[in-house]
Amino acid sequence: MNVLRVSKLTITAFVLPCLLLYTCIVFIPIIVSLYSGLLDWNGIGESKFVGLQNFINLLTNDPVFWPSVRRTLMFAVFSMAEIPVALFVAILLNRFVKKPNFLVSSYFLPVILSVVIIGQLWKTIYNPASMGGMLNQLLDMVGLESLTRSWLTDPSVAMYSLYFVALWQYLGYHTLIQFTGIQNIPADIYEAARIDGAEGLKADWHITLPMNIPIIKISIVLAFIGSLQAFDMVMVMTGGGPAHATDVISTHMYNMSFLSMKYGYGSAIAAFLVVICLCATVIINFLFNRLERKYS
Amino acid sequence: MNALTTRVAPGKPAAAEKSSRRFSIVRLLVYVLLGILFVTQLYPLLWLALYSLKNNEEILSGNFFALPASPQWQNFTDAIESGNYFRYLFNSFFVTSVTMVGVLLLASLASFAISRFRWRYGQVVLLIFLVGMMIPMQATLLPLMIIFKNMGILNTHLSIILPYIAFQTPISVFILSGFMKAIPHEIEESAVVDGAGIFRIFRSIILPISVPPMMTVCILTFINIWNEYIMAATFISSEKLKTLPFGVYSFVSQYSVNYGAIGAFLVLGALPVILIYFLLADKITKGMVAGAVKG
C-alpha cells in the first residue's frame, strides 16, 4: 500500500465541502423530520410535543394510510414482475438480433424523459374521446365502446392506469440493464454448454439466469426502492385523487404536510417511509446474498 | 396455434430441414414480439408529435392516427410565446450546468481523498454517502423548505441547486472513488519524487485520467436534474425562475383546452433530451447502466 500520506488539514480541505453540504441537506432534514413526527405542528406557529400520538393515529386511525401502503406495495410487486419480462426480451435481443443496440436504445428512450412529460403525455392519451384521448378513440374504433372510460378519474381503474405508465416507462431501463448483464457472460460458457447438449431455453435456465443473478438483484432493488418512492408520476397525473383512490405513501405525506398543513403528522409518515426503505434494502440484499452464494 | 406447437416440438438433429424451418418460425415470432414492443414504446411519442401539429377539430374528431391536414405551426409559436419556453429552457440549462460543475468539483475532491489518502475514516465517509442513497428525497422536502425559508433563499435558484448537488453526490462519489482506487500508485510516487504537491497531483494527474467516470457522472446528473420536477415545484414559486418540467406543468394546467399547444409544449419539453440522446445514445445508456450497477 502506497497510499498518499497527508496532513489532517489537507484531508479536511478535500472532504469537508462535500460532506458538509451532504450532511446539511440530506441527514439533518431527515433527523429534523424524525423529531417533528413527535409534534403537533402546522409548520409555522406554536408546536406541541405529543410523543408517539402521530404514529398511533397513523397506524390505527387513518382511513387513507393503509390503502396507500397497499398501493405502494402493489406498485413494487408490479414493477418487480416486469423484470422477468425485461430479462426475456434481453435474451431474445441477444440471441436473435444482429445489431441489437438500435432496439435497446429505442426501448430505453422513455426512461430519459421527464416524468412531467411522460405523465402529461399519458394523461392526454387517457383523456375522454371527446377531449381527444387516444386510448378511448382507439377502443371506439375497434368496437369496444363498452370498455371506454375516464381512465384517471374512475377510482376503480385509476391506479392501474398509473401502474401501467410506470411499467411502460421503465421497461426499457430493465431491458437495458439485463441486456448489458447478458452481454458480459463469456461466450465460451455457452459453447461448453452446447457441447454438453444444452441449447436455447435450457442454456438460459442453467447459465443466463444464474449468471445474471447479481444484475437481477440490481433491477429488483431499483424497482422496489423506486416504487416505494413513487411520487412524481402520481403527483403529476392525479395528485392522489380521485378521493384518495391513487394515494401512495409519499403522496399522502405530501398532501398531509403541504395541503392539510399537518406538518408533524406528515413528518411521521416521512419517518415511516424512510424506515421501510432502509429495511427493504437490507432484506433484499440479505436474500440475494444467500442466492448468490448458492449459485457461485 | 396447434400446428405451431407441433413444429416447435424438439426435432432430431438429423432432420436438418425441419429444424431450420422450426427455427425460422421461432425467429419470425421473436421479430414480431420485438416489433410490437418497439411500437408500444415509441408510438405514444410519435402520436404526440402528430397531435402537436393538429388543430382542435382534428384532435377531437377521433381519427387519431391521421396526419394533420396542414401542420399547425401556430401551436408551436403559441407554446413558445405565451408559454415562455425559452425562459424555462434557459433556467433549466443554468440550474443543470451549475449543478454539474458543483457535483464534479465536490465529488471528485472527496473521492480523491477517500480513495488515495491513507487515513482512518475513509471507509466511514464512503459509508455515510452510501446510506444516503437509500433515503427517499421526498422525506426531506418539508424540513428543507423550512430551513431554506429561514435562510431566506426560498424561491431562488440556489434553493434547488444545493439539494440537487447534495442528492447527486452519493452516486457520483461512488463511481469516482471506485475508478480512482484502481489507478496505479506508481504514477503518484513519481510525481511526489518530482516534488509535486497534493493539489498538483490531483489536478494534473488524477483528474485527466478520471475523465471517463466523470462523463458518467455528468450524464447521470444531467438526466436526473434536467427532469427534476417536485423540488422545483416546492421550492420555487416565481414564474421567472421555473425550470422546464415545472414550466411544462404550469403551461398544461393553464391552457387546458388548447390541445394542440399543449402537445407542442410537451414536444418542446422533450426535445432537448431527445436531441442529446440522438447524439450520445451509446454514452447515455452506458452511463445509466453504470449508475444503476454502482448504485
Side-chain angles (χ1 to χ4, degrees):
Chain A
M1 284 292 274
N2 287 306
V3 187
L4 293 174
R5 269 173 193 281
V6 287
S7 71
K8 285 210 169 67
L9 192 69
T10 322
I11 295 177
T12 316
F14 274 87
V15 178
L16 198 65
C18 191
L19 197 61
L20 198 65
L21 178 73
Y22 182 68
T23 327
C24 290
I25 302 278
V26 180
F27 274 100
I28 292 179
I30 290 290
I31 292 162
V32 170
S33 182
L34 291 177
Y35 172 70
S36 337
L38 306 173
L39 303 176
D40 178 7
W41 187 27
N42 63 10
I44 307 158
E46 290 279 297
S47 65
K48 202 175 100 199
F49 188 84
V50 292
L52 291 174
Q53 197 53 48
N54 283 329
F55 288 92
I56 294 168
N57 285 347
L58 182 67
L59 298 176
T60 59
N61 202 14
D62 182 340
V64 181
F65 179 68
W66 286 112
S68 75
V69 172
R70 200 197 70 223
R71 281 186 285 266
T72 305
L73 291 179
M74 287 284 280
F75 218 124
V77 169
F78 279 118
S79 313
M80 290 192 292
E82 184 178 49
I83 293 165
V85 178
L87 178 62
F88 184 63
V89 172
I91 289 173
L92 295 182
L93 281 168
N94 188 50
R95 182 165 309 149
F96 290 96
V97 184
K98 276 222 183 67
K99 292 208 170 93
N101 282 359
F102 171 73
L103 275 180
V104 174
S105 22
S106 306
Y107 294 161
F108 188 74
L109 183 60
V111 180
I112 57 164
L113 293 178
S114 165
V115 170
V116 176
I117 297 192
I118 297 289
Q120 294 300 341
L121 165 63
W122 278 90
K123 236 174 136 172
T124 326
I125 291 178
Y126 284 144
N127 265 340
S130 60
M131 286 165 69
M134 178 176 85
L135 181 58
N136 286 327
Q137 289 180 352
L138 177 71
L139 290 171
D140 278 339
M141 194 179 290
V142 296
L144 292 168
E145 285 89 353
S146 58
L147 287 180
T148 59
R149 60 191 73 214
S150 43
W151 297 96
L152 289 175
T153 48
D154 177 346
S156 61
V157 291
M159 198 62 215
Y160 294 94
S161 309
L162 289 183
Y163 293 143
F164 181 80
V165 178
L167 295 184
W168 175 82
Q169 188 181 11
Y170 285 105
L171 180 65
Y173 199 14
H174 293 301
T175 306
L176 171 71
I177 294 173
Q178 297 307 323
F179 180 74
T180 313
I182 291 175
Q183 288 207 309
N184 286 336
I185 300 175
D188 43 353
I189 298 187
Y190 288 102
E191 198 55 37
R194 207 169 54 84
I195 293 167
D196 292 341
E199 252 187 303
L201 281 181
K202 209 170 166 191
D204 288 325
W205 182 254
H206 291 289
I207 300 170
T208 318
L209 198 61
M211 295 283 288
N212 235 20
I213 281 180
I215 309 293
I216 295 172
K217 174 182 127 180
I218 290 163
S219 265
I220 294 222
V221 171
L222 280 177
F224 201 93
I225 301 294
S227 314
L228 288 185
Q229 302 182 10
F231 181 55
D232 303 38
M233 182 160 305
V234 182
M235 255 359 241
V236 168
M237 291 183 72
T238 64
H244 298 295
T246 58
D247 253 330
V248 290
I249 300 177
S250 51
T251 56
H252 186 40
M253 175 207 82
Y254 192 88
N255 291 338
M256 273 298 158
S257 16
F258 285 95
L259 300 181
S260 311
M261 299 305 279
K262 291 184 179 169
Y263 178 57
Y265 195 71
S267 300
I269 306 179
F272 182 84
L273 189 64
V274 172
V275 172
I276 299 196
C277 280
L278 293 179
C279 290
T281 317
V282 172
I283 292 172
I284 294 176
N285 272 313
F286 173 76
L287 289 179
F288 269 90
N289 283 344
R290 289 186 61 174
L291 207 61
E292 273 170 45
R293 238 176 289 143
K294 196 174 145 195
Y295 280 100
S296 59
Chain B
M1 198 62 207
N2 242 336
L4 199 80
T5 36
T6 46
R7 272 181 201 163
V8 174
K12 291 240 159 64
E17 193 191 329
K18 207 173 167 187
S19 99
S20 87
R21 208 159 94 209
R22 177 191 77 168
F23 191 62
S24 72
I25 285 175
V26 171
R27 186 169 277 264
L28 185 70
L29 280 178
V30 168
Y31 287 156
V32 169
L33 181 79
L34 294 177
I36 291 175
L37 214 53
F38 182 76
V39 173
T40 50
Q41 293 305 101
L42 292 189
Y43 181 71
L45 299 172
L46 176 68
W47 172 79
L48 181 67
L50 292 180
Y51 185 98
S52 71
L53 289 170
K54 293 179 179 178
N55 57 30
N56 269 8
E57 267 163 55
E58 287 174 287
I59 288 171
L60 302 183
S61 73
N63 198 358
F64 64 84
F65 56 78
L67 294 175
S70 64
Q72 303 287 315
W73 297 109
Q74 182 63 34
N75 290 338
F76 281 83
T77 36
D78 279 356
I80 289 174
E81 276 163 18
S82 50
N84 292 321
Y85 176 69
F86 285 111
R87 186 152 71 198
Y88 300 144
L89 190 68
F90 173 78
N91 285 337
S92 270
F93 180 76
F94 175 75
V95 167
T96 311
S97 349
V98 174
T99 307
M100 262 189 203
V101 172
V103 168
L104 280 180
L105 187 72
L106 294 182
S108 60
L109 284 172
S111 307
F112 180 52
I114 289 172
S115 58
R116 310 297 285 187
F117 292 174
R118 180 186 291 187
W119 56 309
R120 212 178 303 163
Y121 302 108
Q123 289 310 306
V124 179
V125 172
L126 192 59
L127 193 71
I128 293 178
F129 283 119
L130 287 188
V131 171
M133 283 209 255
M134 289 170 268
I135 286 179
M137 175 275 286
Q138 304 93 309
T140 63
L141 279 176
L142 256 167
L144 277 182
M145 187 162 118
I146 291 173
I147 294 171
F148 287 160
K149 198 193 254 166
N150 291 336
M151 285 167 69
I153 60 166
L154 204 61
N155 197 21
T156 63
H157 276 157
L158 195 61
S159 69
I160 50 176
I161 289 173
L162 287 178
Y164 284 172
I165 296 179
F167 277 95
Q168 283 303 121
T169 32
I171 184 71
S172 310
V173 166
F174 208 57
I175 291 174
L176 286 172
S177 65
F179 181 90
M180 288 179 183
K181 200 173 276 174
I183 300 174
H185 289 285
E186 287 75 17
I187 295 182
E188 278 157 355
E189 275 167 37
S190 57
V192 171
V193 171
D194 291 349
I198 198 78
F199 280 98
R200 207 183 136 78
I201 292 178
F202 175 67
R203 212 191 55 218
S204 330
I205 299 177
I206 301 294
L207 277 191
I209 300 179
S210 305
V211 166
M214 287 171 95
M215 273 300 292
T216 307
V217 167
C218 276
I219 286 167
L220 286 174
T221 309
F222 171 75
I223 299 285
N224 287 338
I225 302 311
W226 185 269
N227 291 335
E228 205 285 331
Y229 160 70
I230 212 75
M231 269 193 181
T234 311
F235 298 152
I236 286 185
S237 48
S238 99
E239 183 64 28
K240 286 202 307 263
L241 300 173
K242 285 178 184 175
T243 52
L244 199 50
F246 190 19
V248 168
Y249 190 79
S250 8
F251 184 81
V252 172
S253 26
Q254 272 168 40
Y255 293 80
S256 52
V257 287
N258 192 350
Y259 299 111
I262 289 178
F265 209 106
L266 290 178
V267 169
L268 287 170
L271 208 57
V273 179
I274 291 185
L275 283 180
I276 292 179
Y277 190 58
F278 269 126
L279 295 174
L280 297 171
D282 260 13
K283 285 220 162 62
I284 290 179
T285 49
K286 283 208 183 80
M288 294 286 281
V289 170
V293 172
K294 294 280 165 54

